Amino acid sequence: MKPLPFAPRALPAIIVPILARTGDDAARQAIAVSSHEGVDVLEWRIDPLVVEAADSEQAGVSEQYGGSAWDADLARSYGAFARTRIPTLVTVRSEAEGGHCPVERYTEAVEAAIALRPAAVDVEMGREESARLLEAAKEAGVATVVSAHSWEATPSSQQLDTAFAVMASSGADVVKIAVMPHSMEDVLTLLGATARASQAHEVPVIGIAMGELGRVTRLCAGEFGSAATFATVGAGSAPGQMTAEQVDLVRSILLRG
């Protein structure tokens, strides 16, 4: 297992997502989550804020999306994340990959995320501007997680191997693939591909099977080379997530052998 370059410990990192409709709510959640043991990285999902900004535009009560008011609100809220001293991964999840952000607004939103200078940003591999966004983050000194999500099914072993290889060659610092399993064979397919990718590529990889069937990957994918898992403190961001306390307990047991 290759550790995340922006996580403080050389362990399978526990990343806790934070979703909120306002920056102030996100800031309050970040402060609350930071008091929990075992949390290595905060993931601030800002795509719900993109929706709020768009709604405000339509109502005619805010400046143009991407303007100084929205950027200032984002920066003010990020200040609370920075004060926790826990590394923050800022993510814009598009509607195409299970999130809230309209695809046509995705690039602007990721550019705003990079401007915050967090520890890392997520860049979806499937977006047209992914290569440019990865380069922009690199120039800003921000680490990148290139991601791909298969919400309908689990690709074949060969398809996953190819996807990991293509994403690992993208210039990103971390590669993340999440799939939806329909059988335990699908879960094993994901774990096998993650194990092979962790050995074949220089960058850390994250492999996740979503939903109830994939819960085991939230707990023990680190044993198969996955550099991180996503867990909850409060509301989660994806089906099958477990609490940070549960994941930390299992992680400590596995690490003790």
Side-chain angles (χ1 to χ4, degrees):
M1 191 275 297
K2 301 178 181 71
L4 293 183
F6 49 87
R9 298 182 290 177
L11 301 170
I14 296 176
I15 303 174
V16 174
I18 292 176
L19 289 86
R21 301 287 289 188
T22 70
D24 288 342
D25 284 345
R28 283 191 287 269
Q29 288 184 39
I31 293 169
V33 170
S34 68
S35 66
H36 287 256
E37 293 291 329
V39 178
D40 299 302
V41 178
L42 301 175
E43 182 192 35
W44 186 16
R45 283 276 305 273
I46 67 170
D47 43 298
L49 278 69
V50 176
V51 175
E52 286 297 304
D55 290 345
S56 295
E57 280 179 42
Q58 292 176 359
V61 297
S62 74
E63 297 183 21
Q64 178 68 23
Y65 171 84
S68 58
W70 192 80
D71 290 342
D73 179 60
L74 206 63
R76 184 179 63 254
S77 302
Y78 177 69
F81 285 80
R83 288 192 294 274
T84 69
R85 300 188 181 277
I86 297 176
T88 299
L89 163 67
V90 181
T91 295
V92 181
R93 187 64 65 231
S94 73
E95 291 176 335
E97 300 215 14
H100 303 279
C101 182
V103 172
E104 64 271 18
R105 303 227 175 191
Y106 179 80
T107 298
E108 298 169 89
V110 175
E111 289 172 340
I114 294 170
L116 296 173
R117 299 295 196 275
V121 296
D122 180 290
V123 176
E124 294 177 352
M125 190 68 181
R127 306 283 71 78
E128 183 178 351
E129 293 293 310
S130 61
R132 186 177 70 78
L133 292 170
L134 288 169
E135 184 60 29
K138 182 177 180 180
E139 291 177 357
V142 177
T144 49
V145 177
V146 67
S147 64
H149 300 75
S150 177
W151 281 92
E152 300 299 324
T154 299
S156 68
S157 293
Q158 183 177 5
Q159 289 172 322
L160 287 171
D161 288 345
T162 299
F164 271 120
V166 170
M167 294 166 72
S169 66
S170 68
D173 298 290
V174 181
V175 173
K176 172 196 169 189
I177 292 181
V179 305
M180 183 62 73
H182 294 286
S183 67
M184 287 310 297
E185 286 77 10
D186 287 343
V187 175
L188 292 172
T189 295
L190 180 279
L191 289 173
T194 302
R196 291 190 296 276
S198 70
Q199 295 296 316
H201 308 299
E202 293 185 2
V203 299
V205 300
I206 301 172
I208 298 169
M210 298 181 285
E212 292 301 312
L213 277 173
R215 284 164 67 88
V216 64
T217 68
R218 308 277 184 181
L219 294 172
C220 67
E223 298 295 292
F224 295 82
S226 185
T229 188
F230 291 75
T232 67
V233 174
S237 63
Q241 284 182 350
M242 306 183 76
T243 69
E245 183 179 21
Q246 290 170 325
V247 176
D248 190 33
L249 175 61
V250 172
R251 180 177 65 175
S252 66
I253 293 171
L254 291 173
L255 288 173
R256 284 200 299 266

